[in-house]
Amino acid sequence: MIAHVVLFRPKATLSADDRQSLVAALQHAVEGIPSITRASIGKRLLLNRPGYETLMAEHYEYAAILEFASETDLRAYLDHPAHAELGVRLFKSADTVLAYDFTCVGPDALASLLKQG
């Protein structure tokens, strides 16, 4: 499984209309791109534990985690027009964005994944 992880912080000055446009672009991508097998979007949970959240160099308020069955499916998502629309909207709306892709395995395959380096 491939996980596409996007962390972002919307601009403090983002209008309600622009927030709604970002949400609409995200919904359009998630609902309209068939190669996505699972999507989770959430707001950061702050636990106020000393030495835990303060260790993070940057605060990202939101995360979007999209899952794909294969690298081919991830590439189809990245090439889809709805993804292009979402990317434009996200980068206009956010102070900061991080996007990473991960090959994910279950606990039984963890040792082999770590040996790959």
Side-chain angles (χ1 to χ4, degrees):
M1 184 267 293
I2 307 293
H4 178 66
V5 180
V6 180
L7 304 174
F8 63 99
R9 183 177 60 243
K11 292 178 180 176
T13 59
L14 198 62
S15 72
D17 286 346
D18 286 338
R19 280 185 180 266
Q20 185 52 43
S21 293
L22 176 58
V23 168
L26 184 55
Q27 286 178 320
H28 178 69
V30 167
E31 294 170 1
I33 302 176
S35 62
I36 299 171
T37 58
R38 183 174 175 200
S40 301
I41 294 89
K43 188 170 182 178
R44 185 173 180 199
L45 174 64
L46 296 173
L47 301 174
N48 297 314
R49 292 181 55 100
Y52 178 62
E53 287 131 351
T54 57
L55 294 174
M56 302 306 118
E58 186 87 34
H59 171 68
Y60 294 91
E61 190 175 1
Y62 293 94
I65 303 167
L66 307 179
E67 295 180 6
F68 302 88
S70 67
E71 184 179 328
T72 300
D73 289 343
L74 170 62
R75 288 178 184 277
Y77 161 78
L78 294 173
D79 292 338
H80 197 282
H83 174 262
E85 175 189 339
L86 174 59
V88 168
R89 177 65 54 195
L90 180 60
F91 280 96
K92 281 183 172 179
S93 302
D95 276 332
T96 186
V97 178
L98 284 179
Y100 292 102
D101 301 304
F102 298 93
T103 300
C104 298
V105 298
D108 56 325
L110 185 57
S112 65
L113 181 68
L114 293 175
K115 286 180 185 177
Q116 292 175 12

